[in-house]
Amino acid sequence: MATDTHQTIATEATAAATFAAWLDRITATLAAADVAGTTALLARDCWWRDLLALTWDLGTYHGQEQVAAMLAERLTPDAITNVRLTTEFGPRFAGDTVEAFITFETPLGFGRGAVRLRRENGDWVAWTVLTELDDLRGHERAIGPRRSRGPRHNPAGGRNWLQQRQQRIADPDPDVVVIGAGQGGLTVAANLGLMGVDTLILEKSERVGDGWRKRYHSLVLHDPVWADHLPYLPYPDSWPVYCPKDKIADWFESYAAAMELNVWTSAELTDSHFDEAAGRWTLRVRTPQGERELRPRDVILATGAAGEPNVPDVPGRESFAGTTYHSSRHGAAGDWAGKKAVVVGACNSGHDIAQDLYEAGADVTLVQRSSTHIISQEHGIPAIFGSNFVEGGPPTAYADLLAAGTPWPLVLEFAKDGVKATAEKDAALLAALDAVGFKRNDGPDGTGLMGYALAYGGGYYIDVGASGLIADGKIKLAQGAGLAAFTPDGIRLADGRTLEADLVVLATGYKNMRETARRLFGDAVADRLPLVLGIGEDGEIGGLYRRTGHPAFWYMGGPLAWVRIYSKHLALQITAKHAGLPTP
């Protein structure tokens, strides 16, 4: 035991010395605005991801040539100063790399970074570099030593904290309005609030968390607890690895209260107009107290990728004698015991709802038109999240830096090996699916779940039991043809097969968030916006967390890990805009 401890200490000391030597050299080249000298300290196949620190944008630069071009445009003697090694966690060896974390300053504020070094021609050079702005100078988040002192014991005017909170919620004058109180809306509002930006969330449901609470009965999160913390308020250590929907819904409600977020529930946007000259929106909102008008400077659409159901226009629907609805409306399955149910669509929601209906006693058929990427939760999730988000892994702040410091194109390259390794471990399950005619794929260009998630937000299934039921014939499979028409007693597929049904669930996915923007804000706004998702030529996700093409409209969304990391960056951009800060 003592020997192992000594070896660990020696290894950490070597990693620290290796990184310190590299850091001294790059600190000097940065201070001199020496582009060639800085680039020489990077691997030929390097990746530099900048999140607002140098470029005031989210951007990925691959290879020395791209990085040099970015630095030539952005690097000045004061661009990155006071660079320091973080010793709370790391430096450490991770495989054949040294991982370490830094802090630094920019003209706008304070930054953090993550660097991976590897050997090249005998020298330690940077393979991946992350530089991110963490706080704006003069607008630092009110956390830690900058936290509020709290209310006075003898409040002015006789109103205590609760009364003041109630007044701020009832009669706000927000600079930012967020549409949607899911994880995206809550996290960006929390960051904006800590930066001093007056923010109001509009939620059409009756309670915060209803976006999860009202989903299908058996829903459990597929991502593990270590990846799913909300910013500033981590889950307790007793939190389950995979959280049920009602538990996460209640946590969201508690989070909104604890973070003092201003939320109007049962509030629906009915009309909007943006005044280009004044730089303000006029929003009309229907509330239980009547119609209200708001005049914010910015609007954030945070309804999520699952916000606009894709309901196909299928002939004969009005003639169908049974019940049909989109998967987003699926509730308790017990009503369908002893009935025939057809689920159209074979990705996560389709599988989960088919399993839910089967376990409630329904006779279930799953319709699979094309192929689906399948992984087991047992083997696939660890392959996706790696050693970052696991029990005993890095503290969340550092795990997030490592995740953000792995550019999306590199994530997709790493995913290919994970897809192969997972398929080997899931071989028996996959063979059983093949035997009953279920069609599978390895994701776009072999990138599996990550490729589908980044491009489309769906197209895969994380198996928590439905695959075994399909393989055993307990859930019937109709493969190879999509829904062509409803009939009075069921559906007809494109190849002519007919299926009897009392219930038809359309697990047909969701439209792009831009279509939600179109419905809420009209064509004039939506036509200025990019599509959400898909990796662009700049290596970043389309639309999310950055300027959209409209000066006062922003997208916010994604899984819990994404919104925890990137909500801060969106909030920083809006805060700087409102403060009139000179951005690069």
Side-chain angles (χ1 to χ4, degrees), residues 277-420:
R280 284 193 178 271
W281 292 90
T282 299
L283 306 179
R284 289 186 173 82
V285 184
R286 183 185 300 117
T287 77
Q289 293 76 37
E291 186 172 273
R292 303 286 296 273
E293 184 174 289
L294 301 169
R295 295 268 294 159
R297 295 178 62 179
D298 286 272
V299 165
I300 302 172
L301 183 63
T303 52
E308 199 73 14
N310 179 37
V311 181
D313 184 13
V314 180
R317 186 166 182 169
E318 68 284 351
S319 70
F320 177 50
T323 300
T324 182
Y325 50 71
H326 188 265
S327 57
S328 58
R329 292 180 50 216
H330 182 68
D335 296 341
W336 302 103
K339 304 290 183 65
K340 291 184 177 181
V342 172
V343 179
V344 179
C347 297
N348 257 344
S349 293
H351 278 83
D352 283 350
I353 291 171
Q355 182 176 354
D356 192 36
L357 288 164
Y358 169 80
E359 291 175 349
D363 178 357
V364 185
T365 300
L366 182 72
V367 176
Q368 185 197 33
R369 179 178 59 85
S370 54
S371 60
T372 310
H373 179 63
I374 303 292
I375 60 172
S376 69
Q377 187 178 67
E378 178 185 5
H379 299 131
I381 293 301
I384 291 169
F385 288 98
S387 59
N388 264 6
F389 298 106
V390 295
E391 194 75 66
T396 303
Y398 295 103
D400 285 351
L401 285 172
L402 290 171
T406 308
W408 295 117
L410 194 55
V411 168
L412 293 176
E413 283 301 310
F414 287 162
K416 294 177 182 179
D417 288 339
V419 168
K420 293 175 183 176

Side-chain angles (χ1 to χ4, degrees), residues 31 64 67 84 103 111 127 195 317 409 419 483 511 513 537:
Q64 289 183 338
V67 173
R84 299 181 183 276
T103 60
W127 174 42
M195 294 176 194
R317 186 166 182 169
V419 168
L483 173 61
K511 297 178 182 179
M513 279 182 74
E537 292 183 0

Side-chain angles (χ1 to χ4, degrees), residues 356-522:
D356 192 36
L357 288 164
Y358 169 80
E359 291 175 349
D363 178 357
V364 185
T365 300
L366 182 72
V367 176
Q368 185 197 33
R369 179 178 59 85
S370 54
S371 60
T372 310
H373 179 63
I374 303 292
I375 60 172
S376 69
Q377 187 178 67
E378 178 185 5
H379 299 131
I381 293 301
I384 291 169
F385 288 98
S387 59
N388 264 6
F389 298 106
V390 295
E391 194 75 66
T396 303
Y398 295 103
D400 285 351
L401 285 172
L402 290 171
T406 308
W408 295 117
L410 194 55
V411 168
L412 293 176
E413 283 301 310
F414 287 162
K416 294 177 182 179
D417 288 339
V419 168
K420 293 175 183 176
T422 301
E424 290 178 2
K425 294 176 181 178
D426 286 342
L429 172 69
L430 300 180
L433 287 172
D434 293 344
V436 296
F438 189 94
K439 299 302 180 185
R440 303 182 293 104
N441 64 60
D442 290 333
D445 196 28
T447 58
L449 182 151
M450 286 306 303
Y452 272 128
L454 288 168
Y456 311 112
Y460 54 84
Y461 170 55
I462 303 169
D463 180 45
V464 291
S467 289
L469 295 173
I470 294 167
D472 292 342
K474 295 176 180 177
I475 292 176
K476 301 180 182 70
L477 177 67
Q479 206 287 325
L483 173 61
F486 283 90
T487 65
D489 59 357
I491 64 171
R492 185 176 72 252
L493 302 181
D495 61 2
R497 283 178 290 171
T498 58
L499 300 173
E500 292 184 2
D502 301 295
L503 169 68
V504 176
V505 180
L506 300 174
T508 45
Y510 296 84
K511 297 178 182 179
N512 196 274
M513 279 182 74
R514 187 168 69 180
E515 296 312 303
T516 305
R518 191 177 305 280
R519 174 173 59 82
L520 293 174
F521 296 93

Side-chain angles (χ1 to χ4, degrees), residues 85 111 141 149 182 245 248 257 282 309 349 356 378 463 479 528 534 569-570 584:
L85 172 65
R141 287 165 292 163
R149 290 187 61 84
K245 70 178 182 74
I248 197 72
T282 299
S349 293
D356 192 36
E378 178 185 5
D463 180 45
Q479 206 287 325
R528 300 171 69 171
H569 302 111
L570 177 48

